[in-house]
Amino acid sequence: MSVPHHQASRRTIKLRVLPSADAVGRVIADEVQCLLQQKDAPVLGLATGSSPLTTYQELRRRFAAGDLSFAGVRGFLLDEYIGLPRGHVATYAAVIDSELGDRVGLRAGAIMGPDVWRADLEKACHQYEEAIADAGGIDLQLLGIGSNGHIGFNEPGSDFSSRTRIARLASRTRVDNSRFFGGDVEAVPTHCLTQGLGTIREARRIVLIATGASKSKAVARLMTGSPSPDFPASALQGHPAVSLVIDAAAAFLLPGFGQCA
Ligand code: F6R
């Protein structure tokens, strides 16, 4: 796949390195709070997995303290596993429900994910794209990054213009995510529905979160490598409003941040 010229030539990712994962969560919660205070019906793009957990914890804290209202907020998940029963604790729908949901006063139905439980999955993908468009598009997309550079479940080789679709999980992703399935790789689904890279890139603002040393290689490649479908997160280069917010451990391999710098 050819890489559009503007992506290859412009590095737009703003880097912010903070001392800890908790500090990352506070800074990103500030961003969410600004959006919620500025816009009547804000639309959040919500990642699951470990990376956004300190952000969600901080959002819950601010909600409980009465500092933040989620009235009118809508959220869209990046992806969902295919093959788990509805309500299974590892489904991303269940995860986001237990992280945010009514814990921050979101009304039922305010957060939507790709509907992997319907018979016609192609139609589910199409309808998910329509639902995001009908909501007016995503104002602020939170993302994690896989150790292989995936965003959403757009694994290496994904087209930069891809849309919501059925995708196969890379074996490395299944190993990485086996921790959410009691360590059993075989229990991790093989397929999912994921927003495409083209879908994700339409968000007006994107914040990519990475914490811990296991993300340091991916972070270094994102900040120093060229855009390539081999490394899906590089599709974000050239986006006009994208930040990478990381802790010191994830920054370790960046020029100027390592022990020997
Ligand atoms: C989750 C998602 C994935 C994760 C990524 C990092 O909705 O789409 O791209 O963000 O696999 O996962 P963690 O944060 O668990 O390291």
Side-chain angles (χ1 to χ4, degrees):
M1 198 207 81
S2 68
V3 174
H5 178 70
H6 75 277
Q7 285 162 14
S9 56
R10 272 206 305 149
R11 266 183 205 288
T12 54
I13 301 175
K14 292 200 181 86
L15 174 67
R16 188 138 184 213
V17 182
L18 296 160
S20 66
D22 284 340
V24 167
R26 285 192 293 274
V27 161
I28 298 174
D30 287 346
E31 282 238 17
V32 174
Q33 183 157 0
C34 278
L35 173 69
L36 268 48
Q37 285 166 349
Q38 281 164 9
K39 204 167 170 187
D40 279 345
V43 181
L44 294 174
L46 298 165
T48 44
S50 305
S51 304
L53 291 180
T54 57
T55 302
Y56 296 156
Q57 182 182 26
E58 178 63 12
L59 291 174
R60 291 196 302 271
R61 194 194 64 72
R62 292 182 193 191
F63 173 77
D67 296 337
L68 192 53
S69 163
F70 282 78
V73 172
R74 297 198 56 190
F76 288 91
L77 295 179
L78 280 166
D79 36 28
E80 184 59 270
Y81 292 116
I82 294 173
L84 299 179
R86 204 190 278 277
H88 185 292
V89 287
T91 61
Y92 287 154
V95 168
I96 207 68
D97 230 34
S98 71
E99 287 298 319
L100 295 176
D102 58 10
R103 296 181 77 181
V104 294
L106 278 165
R107 59 180 170 75
I111 301 180
M112 203 176 161
D115 186 358
V116 295
W117 293 284
R118 60 180 298 164
D120 186 344
L121 291 179
E122 295 292 343
K123 200 163 182 185
C125 294
H126 189 67
Q127 288 188 338
Y128 199 56
E129 289 276 342
E130 275 182 353
I132 294 172
D134 288 350
I138 287 171
D139 292 307
L140 174 60
Q141 175 67 58
L142 305 184
L143 290 178
I145 182 170
S147 56
N148 64 358
H150 74 215
I151 51 174
F153 278 137
N154 294 282
E155 300 287 19
S158 298
D159 197 289
F160 281 7
S161 58
S162 53
R163 311 300 306 186
T164 301
R165 67 194 186 289
I166 304 169
R168 192 184 178 89
L169 270 63
S171 44
R172 179 155 169 199
T173 300
R174 293 183 69 221
V175 170
D176 286 349
N177 286 9
S178 61
R179 68 191 193 281
F180 299 115
F181 293 83
D184 179 5
V185 182
E186 292 307 313
V188 183
T190 54
H191 289 79
C192 65
L193 292 191
T194 183
Q195 285 189 35
L197 294 173
T199 320
I200 292 170
R201 279 159 22 114
E202 281 171 7
R204 285 183 270 282
R205 170 135 183 71
I206 296 176
V207 178
L208 183 60
I209 310 164
T211 58
S214 65
K215 297 295 170 70
S216 56
K217 272 193 188 156
V219 161
R221 179 153 179 200
L222 178 63
M223 293 309 287
T224 60
S226 303
S228 159
D230 290 347
F231 193 74
S234 65
L236 301 177
Q237 288 176 15
H239 187 284
V242 55
S243 305
L244 171 64
V245 185
I246 64 179
D247 68 358
F252 184 73
L253 294 176
L254 283 175
F257 284 91
Q259 266 178 350
C260 302

